[in-house]
PDB file of all heavy atoms in Angstrom:
ATOM      1  N   PHE A  56       6.326   2.599   8.239  1.00 98.00           N
ATOM      2  CA  PHE A  56       6.542   3.249   6.937  1.00 98.00           C
ATOM      3  C   PHE A  56       7.154   2.284   5.919  1.00 98.00           C
ATOM      4  O   PHE A  56       6.730   2.265   4.757  1.00 98.00           O
ATOM      5  CB  PHE A  56       7.421   4.502   7.097  1.00 98.00           C
ATOM      6  CG  PHE A  56       6.628   5.680   7.602  1.00 98.00           C
ATOM      7  CD1 PHE A  56       6.528   5.955   8.959  1.00 98.00           C
ATOM      8  CD2 PHE A  56       5.936   6.491   6.704  1.00 98.00           C
ATOM      9  CE1 PHE A  56       5.773   7.028   9.417  1.00 98.00           C
ATOM     10  CE2 PHE A  56       5.169   7.565   7.153  1.00 98.00           C
ATOM     11  CZ  PHE A  56       5.095   7.831   8.521  1.00 98.00           C
ATOM     12  N   ALA A  57       8.136   1.502   6.355  1.00 98.00           N
ATOM     13  CA  ALA A  57       8.791   0.610   5.381  1.00 98.00           C
ATOM     14  C   ALA A  57       7.946  -0.635   5.121  1.00 98.00           C
ATOM     15  O   ALA A  57       7.782  -1.057   3.973  1.00 98.00           O
ATOM     16  CB  ALA A  57      10.170   0.213   5.902  1.00 98.00           C
ATOM     17  N   GLY A  58       7.399  -1.168   6.193  1.00 98.00           N
ATOM     18  CA  GLY A  58       6.679  -2.443   6.072  1.00 98.00           C
ATOM     19  C   GLY A  58       5.279  -2.289   5.497  1.00 98.00           C
ATOM     20  O   GLY A  58       4.858  -3.065   4.649  1.00 98.00           O
ATOM     21  N   GLU A  59       4.554  -1.251   5.949  1.00 98.00           N
ATOM     22  CA  GLU A  59       3.147  -1.111   5.522  1.00 98.00           C
ATOM     23  C   GLU A  59       3.016  -0.184   4.318  1.00 98.00           C
ATOM     24  O   GLU A  59       2.110  -0.335   3.519  1.00 98.00           O
ATOM     25  CB  GLU A  59       2.292  -0.524   6.660  1.00 98.00           C
ATOM     26  CG  GLU A  59       2.436  -1.200   8.005  1.00 98.00           C
ATOM     27  CD  GLU A  59       1.612  -2.478   8.119  1.00 98.00           C
ATOM     28  OE1 GLU A  59       0.745  -2.695   7.266  1.00 98.00           O
ATOM     29  OE2 GLU A  59       1.881  -3.255   9.055  1.00 98.00           O
ATOM     30  N   LEU A  60       3.902   0.813   4.226  1.00 98.00           N
ATOM     31  CA  LEU A  60       3.681   1.865   3.212  1.00 98.00           C
ATOM     32  C   LEU A  60       4.788   1.923   2.154  1.00 98.00           C
ATOM     33  O   LEU A  60       4.867   2.878   1.384  1.00 98.00           O
ATOM     34  CB  LEU A  60       3.542   3.226   3.918  1.00 98.00           C
ATOM     35  CG  LEU A  60       2.277   3.353   4.774  1.00 98.00           C
ATOM     36  CD1 LEU A  60       2.358   4.561   5.708  1.00 98.00           C
ATOM     37  CD2 LEU A  60       1.036   3.485   3.889  1.00 98.00           C
ATOM     38  N   GLU A  61       5.606   0.895   2.135  1.00 98.00           N
ATOM     39  CA  GLU A  61       6.605   0.710   1.057  1.00 98.00           C
ATOM     40  C   GLU A  61       7.583   1.875   0.919  1.00 98.00           C
ATOM     41  O   GLU A  61       7.968   2.246  -0.196  1.00 98.00           O
ATOM     42  CB  GLU A  61       5.903   0.459  -0.284  1.00 98.00           C
ATOM     43  CG  GLU A  61       4.969  -0.742  -0.242  1.00 98.00           C
ATOM     44  CD  GLU A  61       4.199  -0.932  -1.553  1.00 98.00           C
ATOM     45  OE1 GLU A  61       4.811  -0.854  -2.628  1.00 98.00           O
ATOM     46  OE2 GLU A  61       2.974  -1.144  -1.466  1.00 98.00           O
ATOM     47  N   PHE A  62       7.963   2.482   2.039  1.00 98.00           N
ATOM     48  CA  PHE A  62       8.940   3.565   1.954  1.00 98.00           C
ATOM     49  C   PHE A  62      10.311   3.010   1.559  1.00 98.00           C
ATOM     50  O   PHE A  62      10.703   1.930   1.976  1.00 98.00           O
ATOM     51  CB  PHE A  62       9.009   4.341   3.283  1.00 98.00           C
ATOM     52  CG  PHE A  62       8.035   5.497   3.311  1.00 98.00           C
ATOM     53  CD1 PHE A  62       6.695   5.295   2.991  1.00 98.00           C
ATOM     54  CD2 PHE A  62       8.443   6.785   3.624  1.00 98.00           C
ATOM     55  CE1 PHE A  62       5.785   6.349   2.991  1.00 98.00           C
ATOM     56  CE2 PHE A  62       7.547   7.855   3.623  1.00 98.00           C
ATOM     57  CZ  PHE A  62       6.216   7.636   3.305  1.00 98.00           C
ATOM     58  N   LYS A  63      11.022   3.796   0.743  1.00 98.00           N
ATOM     59  CA  LYS A  63      12.283   3.323   0.139  1.00 98.00           C
ATOM     60  C   LYS A  63      13.515   3.978   0.755  1.00 98.00           C
ATOM     61  O   LYS A  63      14.627   3.532   0.534  1.00 98.00           O
ATOM     62  CB  LYS A  63      12.313   3.663  -1.365  1.00 98.00           C
ATOM     63  CG  LYS A  63      11.155   3.069  -2.177  1.00 98.00           C
ATOM     64  CD  LYS A  63      11.477   1.630  -2.556  1.00 98.00           C
ATOM     65  CE  LYS A  63      10.420   1.001  -3.437  1.00 98.00           C
ATOM     66  NZ  LYS A  63       9.153   0.747  -2.720  1.00 98.00           N
ATOM     67  N   LYS A  64      13.288   5.076   1.474  1.00 98.00           N
ATOM     68  CA  LYS A  64      14.458   5.785   2.016  1.00 98.00           C
ATOM     69  C   LYS A  64      14.125   6.433   3.353  1.00 98.00           C
ATOM     70  O   LYS A  64      13.043   7.008   3.511  1.00 98.00           O
ATOM     71  CB  LYS A  64      14.901   6.857   1.012  1.00 98.00           C
ATOM     72  CG  LYS A  64      16.129   7.617   1.438  1.00 98.00           C
ATOM     73  CD  LYS A  64      16.684   8.440   0.297  1.00 98.00           C
ATOM     74  CE  LYS A  64      17.778   9.364   0.783  1.00 98.00           C
ATOM     75  NZ  LYS A  64      18.256  10.251  -0.266  1.00 98.00           N
ATOM     76  N   ILE A  65      15.062   6.329   4.274  1.00 98.00           N
ATOM     77  CA  ILE A  65      14.894   6.977   5.581  1.00 98.00           C
ATOM     78  C   ILE A  65      16.145   7.776   5.895  1.00 98.00           C
ATOM     79  O   ILE A  65      17.265   7.249   5.815  1.00 98.00           O
ATOM     80  CB  ILE A  65      14.618   5.930   6.675  1.00 98.00           C
ATOM     81  CG1 ILE A  65      13.287   5.263   6.328  1.00 98.00           C
ATOM     82  CG2 ILE A  65      14.597   6.579   8.064  1.00 98.00           C
ATOM     83  CD1 ILE A  65      12.786   4.258   7.264  1.00 98.00           C
ATOM     84  N   ARG A  66      15.948   9.053   6.207  1.00 98.00           N
ATOM     85  CA  ARG A  66      17.085   9.897   6.570  1.00 98.00           C
ATOM     86  C   ARG A  66      16.974  10.294   8.038  1.00 98.00           C
ATOM     87  O   ARG A  66      15.904  10.682   8.507  1.00 98.00           O
ATOM     88  CB  ARG A  66      17.124  11.158   5.694  1.00 98.00           C
ATOM     89  CG  ARG A  66      18.217  12.155   6.135  1.00 98.00           C
ATOM     90  CD  ARG A  66      18.346  13.338   5.197  1.00 98.00           C
ATOM     91  NE  ARG A  66      18.691  12.928   3.852  1.00 98.00           N
ATOM     92  CZ  ARG A  66      19.932  12.658   3.429  1.00 98.00           C
ATOM     93  NH1 ARG A  66      20.947  12.766   4.269  1.00 98.00           N
ATOM     94  NH2 ARG A  66      20.149  12.284   2.192  1.00 98.00           N
ATOM     95  N   PHE A  67      18.093  10.214   8.740  1.00 98.00           N
ATOM     96  CA  PHE A  67      18.138  10.650  10.135  1.00 98.00           C
ATOM     97  C   PHE A  67      18.793  12.024  10.189  1.00 98.00           C
ATOM     98  O   PHE A  67      19.856  12.247   9.620  1.00 98.00           O
ATOM     99  CB  PHE A  67      18.927   9.647  10.978  1.00 98.00           C
ATOM    100  CG  PHE A  67      18.288   8.290  10.977  1.00 98.00           C
ATOM    101  CD1 PHE A  67      18.853   7.241  10.264  1.00 98.00           C
ATOM    102  CD2 PHE A  67      17.090   8.077  11.641  1.00 98.00           C
ATOM    103  CE1 PHE A  67      18.242   5.997  10.232  1.00 98.00           C
ATOM    104  CE2 PHE A  67      16.465   6.829  11.612  1.00 98.00           C
ATOM    105  CZ  PHE A  67      17.045   5.787  10.906  1.00 98.00           C
TER     106      PHE A  67
END
Side-chain angles (χ1 to χ4, degrees):
F56 281 92
E59 310 279 346
L60 293 166
E61 303 176 46
F62 270 51
K63 302 277 184 290
K64 182 168 171 185
I65 296 182
R66 174 175 300 277
F67 298 107

